[in-house]
Amino acid sequence: MTSTRQMIITLCIVALTCAIILSFVYAFTSPRIAETQKNLMLDGLQEVSQAVEFVEIISDTLWRALDSLKKSTGIVFRVFPQGYGGSIPITVGLDRDGRITGVRIASAAEGLKETPGLGAKITEPDFTQQFIGKCAPEVQLKNDGGEIDAITAATISSRAVTAGIRRGIETYAQYLGEGYDKRDVFPAAESFREIIRDTLWYALGESDTIGIVFFGVAQGYLDCIKFVAGVDNEGTITGVEIVYSSETEGIGEAIRDQEFLNTFKEGTAEAITGATVSSKALIDAVQKNLQRFKEYLK
Amino acid sequence: MSKWRIFTRGLVRDNAVLVLMIGLCPALATSGTVRDGFGMGLAATFVLLFSNLIISLLRKNIPNEVRIPIFILVISTFVTIIDYFMQAFQPDLYRALGVFVPLIVVNCMILGRAEAFASKNSVFDAILDGLGVGLGFTLALTIMGTVREILGNGTFLGIPVFGESFKKSPVIFMVLSPGAFLIIGILKALINKYVRKEIR
């Protein structure tokens, strides 16, 4: 018969030893675990978007996609619509016009609960690639008036996917329009500090202010044109981007041309033939705002 | 008992899953594909081997009254270690095995070997026993996984076996739960017929 004291001591020693060993194992593996999980997430995002960098807007749900020049190329979001067997984890990429750049549905190994061989076929490229290039109203099954072919004998799963993606686009599309990135027009800046709410920001370098970024509105031909522009301390325009415009397709919308927008940086911006009203309005508005905010430049 | 017999006993004759019918839950749930079955088997073998080793080392110092909590502590430590390592280096496998990795703790096969063998035998014998029983478990799960994946998905380790047309409409039933019960029943019948003739 062993004494109570001996039992307690043995148990404590064993428990303590186990805890010490585990703390070492944890310290060794935890950075690796965090890295693996981040890579898995990034791989998933890269499958649905051409972008090279993703900036989180809503944790684990919404990202802004940036290309190698840190320009926004659109957004990537995740939705979890209810399918036949459980929720379906879907990752969707959207370009700046709200068209789908890619759809990825998690495999059974990643938590998909649809029936293998039936509902689980929604993960196959034959199904997911149909979505590429579509915009929200087209993302419905053909039976429901859309353009997506359902999977035979898996209508519930297919419909859950289309409904989930459509709802996701409706929810997150707002981040496409107004969700411009100030870095687009001032790539040299490290960060930005707001001076006038939603209108004017200081562009901050490593230690000092290196310019300003402002948001402006011009009266276009059909509708207002919202834009954002950056100006460095010498008064040189570092970039102009259209945030919103709804000019005539193929004519006034030419102001979205990157070539035209680049001429602002060289100071040679001129009205575009065939889109005179829209382009002039934009040029005037950029100049007017520049005069208005000049005092903020050093 | 010869050393060789200690090792081979757990492989087939006293196979945990197919003969003793213990540790059935993970065996049925994670044998849908070869990779999952093999991975689960190796994870359980690792835990069994080291828990047997440590428990056999400590067997003279463990007070009889608290032996079960100590066994569980040792086993759960190794389960947590394999859990972390799998998350770090085999994330796909980890997600496929899901909750069954932490549940190795309560796999009665492991606690059973600790209680019935490791706590009463020398370190070397305990290692042989752990390896034998663990590999027997791995063998059973891998065979089940092979049959279920080939018939139920038309692939072996993800490689198509019968060509694309079969892969399009395989025997889906085999990768679902009923397929697991059917296969384990057939394997048990075969073992009874050819290996354990005396029970007929």
Side-chain angles (χ1 to χ4, degrees), chain B residues 48-61:
Chain B
L48 184 56
L49 176 62
F50 282 94
S51 72
N52 263 12
L53 167 72
I54 299 295
I55 286 163
S56 173
L57 270 176
L58 297 176
R59 70 183 188 280
K60 292 195 178 104
N61 303 318

Side-chain angles (χ1 to χ4, degrees), chain B residues 149-160:
Chain B
E149 186 181 339
I150 289 180
L151 294 179
N153 202 32
T155 58
F156 179 77
L157 286 170
I159 308 152

Side-chain angles (χ1 to χ4, degrees), chain A residues 1-2 6-7 10-11 14-15 18 21-22 25-26 28-29 32-33 36-37 40 109-110 115-118 121, chain B residues 58 61-66 69-70 73-74 77 80-81 84-85 87-89 91-92 95-96 168 172 175-176:
Chain A
M1 191 69 195
T2 30
Q6 200 186 339
M7 279 188 242
T10 322
L11 258 180
V14 173
C18 290
I21 293 172
L22 280 185
V25 173
Y26 179 75
F28 173 69
T29 52
R32 184 66 200 242
I33 292 173
T36 325
Q37 272 165 353
L40 281 172
E110 297 159 300
T115 323
L118 294 172
K121 282 194 175 156
Chain B
L58 297 176
N61 303 318
I62 300 176
N64 199 40
E65 294 84 349
V66 290
I70 287 179
L73 261 175
V74 172
T77 302
T80 313
I81 291 175
Y84 284 156
F85 271 91
Q87 271 191 64
F89 299 101
D92 288 343
R95 275 189 299 187
K168 280 217 171 71
I172 295 157
V175 291
L176 304 179

